[in-house]
mmCIF file with all atom_site columns, all heavy atoms in Angstrom:
data_model
loop_
_atom_site.group_PDB
_atom_site.id
_atom_site.type_symbol
_atom_site.label_atom_id
_atom_site.label_alt_id
_atom_site.label_comp_id
_atom_site.label_asym_id
_atom_site.label_entity_id
_atom_site.label_seq_id
_atom_site.pdbx_PDB_ins_code
_atom_site.Cartn_x
_atom_site.Cartn_y
_atom_site.Cartn_z
_atom_site.occupancy
_atom_site.B_iso_or_equiv
_atom_site.pdbx_formal_charge
_atom_site.auth_seq_id
_atom_site.auth_comp_id
_atom_site.auth_asym_id
_atom_site.auth_atom_id
_atom_site.pdbx_PDB_model_num
ATOM 1   N N   . ASP A 1 53 ? -5.159  -5.506 -1.148 1.00 0.00 ? 319 ASP A N   1
ATOM 2   C CA  . ASP A 1 53 ? -6.315  -6.399 -1.020 1.00 0.00 ? 319 ASP A CA  1
ATOM 3   C C   . ASP A 1 53 ? -6.731  -6.637 0.432  1.00 0.00 ? 319 ASP A C   1
ATOM 4   O O   . ASP A 1 53 ? -7.645  -7.408 0.691  1.00 0.00 ? 319 ASP A O   1
ATOM 5   C CB  . ASP A 1 53 ? -5.995  -7.765 -1.652 1.00 0.00 ? 319 ASP A CB  1
ATOM 6   C CG  . ASP A 1 53 ? -5.898  -7.686 -3.159 1.00 0.00 ? 319 ASP A CG  1
ATOM 7   O OD1 . ASP A 1 53 ? -6.495  -6.768 -3.747 1.00 0.00 ? 319 ASP A OD1 1
ATOM 8   O OD2 . ASP A 1 53 ? -5.228  -8.544 -3.745 1.00 0.00 ? 319 ASP A OD2 1
ATOM 9   N N   . LEU A 1 54 ? -6.074  -5.985 1.342  1.00 0.00 ? 320 LEU A N   1
ATOM 10  C CA  . LEU A 1 54 ? -6.308  -6.227 2.763  1.00 0.00 ? 320 LEU A CA  1
ATOM 11  C C   . LEU A 1 54 ? -7.656  -5.650 3.194  1.00 0.00 ? 320 LEU A C   1
ATOM 12  O O   . LEU A 1 54 ? -7.939  -4.483 2.972  1.00 0.00 ? 320 LEU A O   1
ATOM 13  C CB  . LEU A 1 54 ? -5.184  -5.596 3.585  1.00 0.00 ? 320 LEU A CB  1
ATOM 14  C CG  . LEU A 1 54 ? -5.054  -6.009 5.025  1.00 0.00 ? 320 LEU A CG  1
ATOM 15  C CD1 . LEU A 1 54 ? -4.808  -7.519 5.132  1.00 0.00 ? 320 LEU A CD1 1
ATOM 16  C CD2 . LEU A 1 54 ? -3.897  -5.269 5.680  1.00 0.00 ? 320 LEU A CD2 1
ATOM 17  N N   . LYS A 1 55 ? -8.482  -6.494 3.793  1.00 0.00 ? 321 LYS A N   1
ATOM 18  C CA  . LYS A 1 55 ? -9.768  -6.045 4.325  1.00 0.00 ? 321 LYS A CA  1
ATOM 19  C C   . LYS A 1 55 ? -9.532  -5.598 5.762  1.00 0.00 ? 321 LYS A C   1
ATOM 20  O O   . LYS A 1 55 ? -8.973  -6.329 6.563  1.00 0.00 ? 321 LYS A O   1
ATOM 21  C CB  . LYS A 1 55 ? -10.789 -7.174 4.266  1.00 0.00 ? 321 LYS A CB  1
ATOM 22  C CG  . LYS A 1 55 ? -12.177 -6.759 4.717  1.00 0.00 ? 321 LYS A CG  1
ATOM 23  C CD  . LYS A 1 55 ? -13.179 -7.846 4.391  1.00 0.00 ? 321 LYS A CD  1
ATOM 24  C CE  . LYS A 1 55 ? -14.562 -7.657 4.924  1.00 0.00 ? 321 LYS A CE  1
ATOM 25  N NZ  . LYS A 1 55 ? -15.022 -6.414 5.377  1.00 0.00 ? 321 LYS A NZ  1
ATOM 26  N N   . LEU A 1 56 ? -9.951  -4.377 6.055  1.00 0.00 ? 322 LEU A N   1
ATOM 27  C CA  . LEU A 1 56 ? -9.765  -3.785 7.375  1.00 0.00 ? 322 LEU A CA  1
ATOM 28  C C   . LEU A 1 56 ? -11.129 -3.516 7.999  1.00 0.00 ? 322 LEU A C   1
ATOM 29  O O   . LEU A 1 56 ? -12.142 -3.531 7.300  1.00 0.00 ? 322 LEU A O   1
ATOM 30  C CB  . LEU A 1 56 ? -8.968  -2.485 7.248  1.00 0.00 ? 322 LEU A CB  1
ATOM 31  C CG  . LEU A 1 56 ? -7.559  -2.638 6.672  1.00 0.00 ? 322 LEU A CG  1
ATOM 32  C CD1 . LEU A 1 56 ? -7.008  -1.302 6.224  1.00 0.00 ? 322 LEU A CD1 1
ATOM 33  C CD2 . LEU A 1 56 ? -6.638  -3.284 7.681  1.00 0.00 ? 322 LEU A CD2 1
ATOM 34  N N   . PRO A 1 57 ? -11.182 -3.253 9.312  1.00 0.00 ? 323 PRO A N   1
ATOM 35  C CA  . PRO A 1 57 ? -12.470 -2.941 9.931  1.00 0.00 ? 323 PRO A CA  1
ATOM 36  C C   . PRO A 1 57 ? -13.146 -1.750 9.225  1.00 0.00 ? 323 PRO A C   1
ATOM 37  O O   . PRO A 1 57 ? -12.469 -0.803 8.818  1.00 0.00 ? 323 PRO A O   1
ATOM 38  C CB  . PRO A 1 57 ? -12.095 -2.576 11.369 1.00 0.00 ? 323 PRO A CB  1
ATOM 39  C CG  . PRO A 1 57 ? -10.796 -3.283 11.607 1.00 0.00 ? 323 PRO A CG  1
ATOM 40  C CD  . PRO A 1 57 ? -10.094 -3.278 10.283 1.00 0.00 ? 323 PRO A CD  1
ATOM 41  N N   . ASN A 1 58 ? -14.466 -1.820 9.083  1.00 0.00 ? 324 ASN A N   1
ATOM 42  C CA  . ASN A 1 58 ? -15.215 -0.771 8.383  1.00 0.00 ? 324 ASN A CA  1
ATOM 43  C C   . ASN A 1 58 ? -14.909 0.620  8.924  1.00 0.00 ? 324 ASN A C   1
ATOM 44  O O   . ASN A 1 58 ? -14.756 1.570  8.166  1.00 0.00 ? 324 ASN A O   1
ATOM 45  C CB  . ASN A 1 58 ? -16.724 -1.026 8.460  1.00 0.00 ? 324 ASN A CB  1
ATOM 46  C CG  . ASN A 1 58 ? -17.191 -1.987 7.399  1.00 0.00 ? 324 ASN A CG  1
ATOM 47  O OD1 . ASN A 1 58 ? -16.517 -2.190 6.393  1.00 0.00 ? 324 ASN A OD1 1
ATOM 48  N ND2 . ASN A 1 58 ? -18.342 -2.589 7.622  1.00 0.00 ? 324 ASN A ND2 1
ATOM 49  N N   . ARG A 1 59 ? -14.845 0.727  10.223 1.00 0.00 ? 325 ARG A N   1
ATOM 50  C CA  . ARG A 1 59 ? -14.600 2.034  10.834 1.00 0.00 ? 325 ARG A CA  1
ATOM 51  C C   . ARG A 1 59 ? -13.239 2.587  10.421 1.00 0.00 ? 325 ARG A C   1
ATOM 52  O O   . ARG A 1 59 ? -13.094 3.783  10.181 1.00 0.00 ? 325 ARG A O   1
ATOM 53  C CB  . ARG A 1 59 ? -14.701 1.910  12.350 1.00 0.00 ? 325 ARG A CB  1
ATOM 54  C CG  . ARG A 1 59 ? -14.801 3.222  13.057 1.00 0.00 ? 325 ARG A CG  1
ATOM 55  C CD  . ARG A 1 59 ? -15.320 3.046  14.454 1.00 0.00 ? 325 ARG A CD  1
ATOM 56  N NE  . ARG A 1 59 ? -14.984 4.212  15.223 1.00 0.00 ? 325 ARG A NE  1
ATOM 57  C CZ  . ARG A 1 59 ? -14.875 4.248  16.514 1.00 0.00 ? 325 ARG A CZ  1
ATOM 58  N NH1 . ARG A 1 59 ? -15.099 3.156  17.225 1.00 0.00 ? 325 ARG A NH1 1
ATOM 59  N NH2 . ARG A 1 59 ? -14.553 5.354  17.134 1.00 0.00 ? 325 ARG A NH2 1
ATOM 60  N N   . VAL A 1 60 ? -12.251 1.730  10.318 1.00 0.00 ? 326 VAL A N   1
ATOM 61  C CA  . VAL A 1 60 ? -10.916 2.159  9.886  1.00 0.00 ? 326 VAL A CA  1
ATOM 62  C C   . VAL A 1 60 ? -10.949 2.540  8.408  1.00 0.00 ? 326 VAL A C   1
ATOM 63  O O   . VAL A 1 60 ? -10.349 3.531  8.006  1.00 0.00 ? 326 VAL A O   1
ATOM 64  C CB  . VAL A 1 60 ? -9.874  1.047  10.153 1.00 0.00 ? 326 VAL A CB  1
ATOM 65  C CG1 . VAL A 1 60 ? -8.530  1.373  9.520  1.00 0.00 ? 326 VAL A CG1 1
ATOM 66  C CG2 . VAL A 1 60 ? -9.712  0.812  11.648 1.00 0.00 ? 326 VAL A CG2 1
ATOM 67  N N   . GLU A 1 61 ? -11.659 1.774  7.604  1.00 0.00 ? 327 GLU A N   1
ATOM 68  C CA  . GLU A 1 61 ? -11.757 2.073  6.164  1.00 0.00 ? 327 GLU A CA  1
ATOM 69  C C   . GLU A 1 61 ? -12.426 3.429  5.907  1.00 0.00 ? 327 GLU A C   1
ATOM 70  O O   . GLU A 1 61 ? -12.155 4.074  4.910  1.00 0.00 ? 327 GLU A O   1
ATOM 71  C CB  . GLU A 1 61 ? -12.555 0.977  5.439  1.00 0.00 ? 327 GLU A CB  1
ATOM 72  C CG  . GLU A 1 61 ? -11.836 -0.350 5.340  1.00 0.00 ? 327 GLU A CG  1
ATOM 73  C CD  . GLU A 1 61 ? -10.757 -0.410 4.269  1.00 0.00 ? 327 GLU A CD  1
ATOM 74  O OE1 . GLU A 1 61 ? -10.416 0.603  3.647  1.00 0.00 ? 327 GLU A OE1 1
ATOM 75  O OE2 . GLU A 1 61 ? -10.225 -1.512 4.072  1.00 0.00 ? 327 GLU A OE2 1
ATOM 76  N N   . LYS A 1 62 ? -13.274 3.861  6.820  1.00 0.00 ? 328 LYS A N   1
ATOM 77  C CA  . LYS A 1 62 ? -14.019 5.111  6.632  1.00 0.00 ? 328 LYS A CA  1
ATOM 78  C C   . LYS A 1 62 ? -13.268 6.342  7.131  1.00 0.00 ? 328 LYS A C   1
ATOM 79  O O   . LYS A 1 62 ? -13.719 7.457  6.913  1.00 0.00 ? 328 LYS A O   1
ATOM 80  C CB  . LYS A 1 62 ? -15.380 5.014  7.323  1.00 0.00 ? 328 LYS A CB  1
ATOM 81  C CG  . LYS A 1 62 ? -16.304 4.046  6.628  1.00 0.00 ? 328 LYS A CG  1
ATOM 82  C CD  . LYS A 1 62 ? -17.638 3.935  7.317  1.00 0.00 ? 328 LYS A CD  1
ATOM 83  C CE  . LYS A 1 62 ? -18.512 2.920  6.595  1.00 0.00 ? 328 LYS A CE  1
ATOM 84  N NZ  . LYS A 1 62 ? -19.770 2.686  7.283  1.00 0.00 ? 328 LYS A NZ  1
ATOM 85  N N   . PHE A 1 63 ? -12.131 6.158  7.787  1.00 0.00 ? 329 PHE A N   1
ATOM 86  C CA  . PHE A 1 63 ? -11.361 7.310  8.259  1.00 0.00 ? 329 PHE A CA  1
ATOM 87  C C   . PHE A 1 63 ? -10.929 8.157  7.064  1.00 0.00 ? 329 PHE A C   1
ATOM 88  O O   . PHE A 1 63 ? -10.433 7.630  6.072  1.00 0.00 ? 329 PHE A O   1
ATOM 89  C CB  . PHE A 1 63 ? -10.095 6.838  8.983  1.00 0.00 ? 329 PHE A CB  1
ATOM 90  C CG  . PHE A 1 63 ? -10.263 6.586  10.454 1.00 0.00 ? 329 PHE A CG  1
ATOM 91  C CD1 . PHE A 1 63 ? -11.418 6.030  10.972 1.00 0.00 ? 329 PHE A CD1 1
ATOM 92  C CD2 . PHE A 1 63 ? -9.250  6.880  11.337 1.00 0.00 ? 329 PHE A CD2 1
ATOM 93  C CE1 . PHE A 1 63 ? -11.560 5.776  12.314 1.00 0.00 ? 329 PHE A CE1 1
ATOM 94  C CE2 . PHE A 1 63 ? -9.371  6.641  12.688 1.00 0.00 ? 329 PHE A CE2 1
ATOM 95  C CZ  . PHE A 1 63 ? -10.532 6.090  13.186 1.00 0.00 ? 329 PHE A CZ  1
ATOM 96  N N   . ASP A 1 64 ? -11.109 9.473  7.167  1.00 0.00 ? 330 ASP A N   1
ATOM 97  C CA  . ASP A 1 64 ? -10.575 10.340 6.117  1.00 0.00 ? 330 ASP A CA  1
ATOM 98  C C   . ASP A 1 64 ? -9.068  10.476 6.343  1.00 0.00 ? 330 ASP A C   1
ATOM 99  O O   . ASP A 1 64 ? -8.548  10.136 7.409  1.00 0.00 ? 330 ASP A O   1
ATOM 100 C CB  . ASP A 1 64 ? -11.268 11.707 6.123  1.00 0.00 ? 330 ASP A CB  1
ATOM 101 C CG  . ASP A 1 64 ? -11.055 12.469 7.418  1.00 0.00 ? 330 ASP A CG  1
ATOM 102 O OD1 . ASP A 1 64 ? -9.948  13.030 7.599  1.00 0.00 ? 330 ASP A OD1 1
ATOM 103 O OD2 . ASP A 1 64 ? -11.986 12.482 8.257  1.00 0.00 ? 330 ASP A OD2 1
ATOM 104 N N   . ASN A 1 65 ? -8.358  10.964 5.345  1.00 0.00 ? 331 ASN A N   1
ATOM 105 C CA  . ASN A 1 65 ? -6.900  11.013 5.406  1.00 0.00 ? 331 ASN A CA  1
ATOM 106 C C   . ASN A 1 65 ? -6.391  11.839 6.584  1.00 0.00 ? 331 ASN A C   1
ATOM 107 O O   . ASN A 1 65 ? -5.411  11.472 7.226  1.00 0.00 ? 331 ASN A O   1
ATOM 108 C CB  . ASN A 1 65 ? -6.321  11.547 4.096  1.00 0.00 ? 331 ASN A CB  1
ATOM 109 C CG  . ASN A 1 65 ? -6.437  10.544 2.978  1.00 0.00 ? 331 ASN A CG  1
ATOM 110 O OD1 . ASN A 1 65 ? -6.845  9.405  3.176  1.00 0.00 ? 331 ASN A OD1 1
ATOM 111 N ND2 . ASN A 1 65 ? -6.100  10.962 1.775  1.00 0.00 ? 331 ASN A ND2 1
ATOM 112 N N   . HIS A 1 66 ? -7.036  12.947 6.861  1.00 0.00 ? 332 HIS A N   1
ATOM 113 C CA  . HIS A 1 66 ? -6.585  13.816 7.952  1.00 0.00 ? 332 HIS A CA  1
ATOM 114 C C   . HIS A 1 66 ? -6.693  13.099 9.300  1.00 0.00 ? 332 HIS A C   1
ATOM 115 O O   . HIS A 1 66 ? -5.750  13.102 10.096 1.00 0.00 ? 332 HIS A O   1
ATOM 116 C CB  . HIS A 1 66 ? -7.387  15.118 7.959  1.00 0.00 ? 332 HIS A CB  1
ATOM 117 C CG  . HIS A 1 66 ? -6.991  16.047 9.058  1.00 0.00 ? 332 HIS A CG  1
ATOM 118 N ND1 . HIS A 1 66 ? -5.791  16.719 9.056  1.00 0.00 ? 332 HIS A ND1 1
ATOM 119 C CD2 . HIS A 1 66 ? -7.623  16.390 10.208 1.00 0.00 ? 332 HIS A CD2 1
ATOM 120 C CE1 . HIS A 1 66 ? -5.699  17.451 10.154 1.00 0.00 ? 332 HIS A CE1 1
ATOM 121 N NE2 . HIS A 1 66 ? -6.794  17.267 10.878 1.00 0.00 ? 332 HIS A NE2 1
ATOM 122 N N   . THR A 1 67 ? -7.840  12.482 9.550  1.00 0.00 ? 333 THR A N   1
ATOM 123 C CA  . THR A 1 67 ? -8.053  11.753 10.799 1.00 0.00 ? 333 THR A CA  1
ATOM 124 C C   . THR A 1 67 ? -7.074  10.587 10.906 1.00 0.00 ? 333 THR A C   1
ATOM 125 O O   . THR A 1 67 ? -6.500  10.345 11.975 1.00 0.00 ? 333 THR A O   1
ATOM 126 C CB  . THR A 1 67 ? -9.506  11.248 10.884 1.00 0.00 ? 333 THR A CB  1
ATOM 127 O OG1 . THR A 1 67 ? -10.392 12.357 10.704 1.00 0.00 ? 333 THR A OG1 1
ATOM 128 C CG2 . THR A 1 67 ? -9.791  10.582 12.207 1.00 0.00 ? 333 THR A CG2 1
ATOM 129 N N   . LEU A 1 68 ? -6.892  9.892  9.806  1.00 0.00 ? 334 LEU A N   1
ATOM 130 C CA  . LEU A 1 68 ? -5.962  8.768  9.779  1.00 0.00 ? 334 LEU A CA  1
ATOM 131 C C   . LEU A 1 68 ? -4.538  9.235  10.093 1.00 0.00 ? 334 LEU A C   1
ATOM 132 O O   . LEU A 1 68 ? -3.835  8.623  10.895 1.00 0.00 ? 334 LEU A O   1
ATOM 133 C CB  . LEU A 1 68 ? -6.013  8.077  8.418  1.00 0.00 ? 334 LEU A CB  1
ATOM 134 C CG  . LEU A 1 68 ? -5.162  6.834  8.244  1.00 0.00 ? 334 LEU A CG  1
ATOM 135 C CD1 . LEU A 1 68 ? -5.624  5.729  9.191  1.00 0.00 ? 334 LEU A CD1 1
ATOM 136 C CD2 . LEU A 1 68 ? -5.243  6.352  6.797  1.00 0.00 ? 334 LEU A CD2 1
ATOM 137 N N   . PHE A 1 69 ? -4.127  10.339 9.475  1.00 0.00 ? 335 PHE A N   1
ATOM 138 C CA  . PHE A 1 69 ? -2.781  10.859 9.721  1.00 0.00 ? 335 PHE A CA  1
ATOM 139 C C   . PHE A 1 69 ? -2.620  11.251 11.187 1.00 0.00 ? 335 PHE A C   1
ATOM 140 O O   . PHE A 1 69 ? -1.588  10.959 11.799 1.00 0.00 ? 335 PHE A O   1
ATOM 141 C CB  . PHE A 1 69 ? -2.471  12.048 8.814  1.00 0.00 ? 335 PHE A CB  1
ATOM 142 C CG  . PHE A 1 69 ? -1.134  12.656 9.092  1.00 0.00 ? 335 PHE A CG  1
ATOM 143 C CD1 . PHE A 1 69 ? 0.027   12.012 8.685  1.00 0.00 ? 335 PHE A CD1 1
ATOM 144 C CD2 . PHE A 1 69 ? -1.021  13.851 9.785  1.00 0.00 ? 335 PHE A CD2 1
ATOM 145 C CE1 . PHE A 1 69 ? 1.279   12.551 8.961  1.00 0.00 ? 335 PHE A CE1 1
ATOM 146 C CE2 . PHE A 1 69 ? 0.228   14.392 10.061 1.00 0.00 ? 335 PHE A CE2 1
ATOM 147 C CZ  . PHE A 1 69 ? 1.370   13.748 9.644  1.00 0.00 ? 335 PHE A CZ  1
ATOM 148 N N   . GLN A 1 70 ? -3.616  11.897 11.763 1.00 0.00 ? 336 GLN A N   1
ATOM 149 C CA  . GLN A 1 70 ? -3.530  12.287 13.177 1.00 0.00 ? 336 GLN A CA  1
ATOM 150 C C   . GLN A 1 70 ? -3.384  11.056 14.075 1.00 0.00 ? 336 GLN A C   1
ATOM 151 O O   . GLN A 1 70 ? -2.569  11.054 15.004 1.00 0.00 ? 336 GLN A O   1
ATOM 152 C CB  . GLN A 1 70 ? -4.759  13.091 13.588 1.00 0.00 ? 336 GLN A CB  1
ATOM 153 C CG  . GLN A 1 70 ? -4.765  14.508 13.063 1.00 0.00 ? 336 GLN A CG  1
ATOM 154 C CD  . GLN A 1 70 ? -5.995  15.272 13.522 1.00 0.00 ? 336 GLN A CD  1
ATOM 155 O OE1 . GLN A 1 70 ? -7.099  14.737 13.548 1.00 0.00 ? 336 GLN A OE1 1
ATOM 156 N NE2 . GLN A 1 70 ? -5.793  16.528 13.878 1.00 0.00 ? 336 GLN A NE2 1
ATOM 157 N N   . ALA A 1 71 ? -4.175  10.022 13.798 1.00 0.00 ? 337 ALA A N   1
ATOM 158 C CA  . ALA A 1 71 ? -4.107  8.801  14.603 1.00 0.00 ? 337 ALA A CA  1
ATOM 159 C C   . ALA A 1 71 ? -2.740  8.142  14.467 1.00 0.00 ? 337 ALA A C   1
ATOM 160 O O   . ALA A 1 71 ? -2.132  7.736  15.467 1.00 0.00 ? 337 ALA A O   1
ATOM 161 C CB  . ALA A 1 71 ? -5.217  7.840  14.184 1.00 0.00 ? 337 ALA A CB  1
ATOM 162 N N   . CYS A 1 72 ? -2.239  8.047  13.245 1.00 0.00 ? 338 CYS A N   1
ATOM 163 C CA  . CYS A 1 72 ? -0.926  7.425  13.019 1.00 0.00 ? 338 CYS A CA  1
ATOM 164 C C   . CYS A 1 72 ? 0.190   8.257  13.637 1.00 0.00 ? 338 CYS A C   1
ATOM 165 O O   . CYS A 1 72 ? 1.171   7.715  14.140 1.00 0.00 ? 338 CYS A O   1
ATOM 166 C CB  . CYS A 1 72 ? -0.686  7.226  11.522 1.00 0.00 ? 338 CYS A CB  1
ATOM 167 S SG  . CYS A 1 72 ? -1.712  5.924  10.827 1.00 0.00 ? 338 CYS A SG  1
ATOM 168 N N   . ASN A 1 73 ? 0.024   9.561  13.620 1.00 0.00 ? 339 ASN A N   1
ATOM 169 C CA  . ASN A 1 73 ? 1.016   10.440 14.239 1.00 0.00 ? 339 ASN A CA  1
ATOM 170 C C   . ASN A 1 73 ? 1.086   10.199 15.745 1.00 0.00 ? 339 ASN A C   1
ATOM 171 O O   . ASN A 1 73 ? 2.177   10.163 16.323 1.00 0.00 ? 339 ASN A O   1
ATOM 172 C CB  . ASN A 1 73 ? 0.662   11.899 13.946 1.00 0.00 ? 339 ASN A CB  1
ATOM 173 C CG  . ASN A 1 73 ? 1.868   12.721 13.594 1.00 0.00 ? 339 ASN A CG  1
ATOM 174 O OD1 . ASN A 1 73 ? 2.966   12.215 13.468 1.00 0.00 ? 339 ASN A OD1 1
ATOM 175 N ND2 . ASN A 1 73 ? 1.653   14.011 13.450 1.00 0.00 ? 339 ASN A ND2 1
ATOM 176 N N   . LYS A 1 74 ? -0.063  10.007 16.385 1.00 0.00 ? 340 LYS A N   1
ATOM 177 C CA  . LYS A 1 74 ? -0.093  9.711  17.830 1.00 0.00 ? 340 LYS A CA  1
ATOM 178 C C   . LYS A 1 74 ? 0.568   8.359  18.102 1.00 0.00 ? 340 LYS A C   1
ATOM 179 O O   . LYS A 1 74 ? 1.315   8.207  19.066 1.00 0.00 ? 340 LYS A O   1
ATOM 180 C CB  . LYS A 1 74 ? -1.528  9.721  18.350 1.00 0.00 ? 340 LYS A CB  1
ATOM 181 C CG  . LYS A 1 74 ? -2.102  11.111 18.459 1.00 0.00 ? 340 LYS A CG  1
ATOM 182 C CD  . LYS A 1 74 ? -3.523  11.084 18.964 1.00 0.00 ? 340 LYS A CD  1
ATOM 183 C CE  . LYS A 1 74 ? -4.100  12.480 18.949 1.00 0.00 ? 340 LYS A CE  1
ATOM 184 N NZ  . LYS A 1 74 ? -5.500  12.510 19.348 1.00 0.00 ? 340 LYS A NZ  1
ATOM 185 N N   . ILE A 1 75 ? 0.282   7.393  17.252 1.00 0.00 ? 341 ILE A N   1
ATOM 186 C CA  . ILE A 1 75 ? 0.909   6.073  17.413 1.00 0.00 ? 341 ILE A CA  1
ATOM 187 C C   . ILE A 1 75 ? 2.424   6.208  17.249 1.00 0.00 ? 341 ILE A C   1
ATOM 188 O O   . ILE A 1 75 ? 3.197   5.614  18.006 1.00 0.00 ? 341 ILE A O   1
ATOM 189 C CB  . ILE A 1 75 ? 0.323   5.049  16.416 1.00 0.00 ? 341 ILE A CB  1
ATOM 190 C CG1 . ILE A 1 75 ? -1.171  4.833  16.680 1.00 0.00 ? 341 ILE A CG1 1
ATOM 191 C CG2 . ILE A 1 75 ? 1.066   3.721  16.493 1.00 0.00 ? 341 ILE A CG2 1
ATOM 192 C CD1 . ILE A 1 75 ? -1.889  4.055  15.586 1.00 0.00 ? 341 ILE A CD1 1
#
Side-chain angles (χ1 to χ4, degrees):
D319 290 336
L320 195 60
K321 184 170 173 17
L322 299 164
N324 276 340
R325 194 162 161 204
V326 171
E327 290 282 8
K328 291 179 181 175
F329 271 37
D330 62 77
N331 288 354
H332 179 71
T333 306
L334 183 63
F335 177 75
Q336 285 181 319
C338 289
N339 222 5
K340 286 180 185 176
I341 297 169

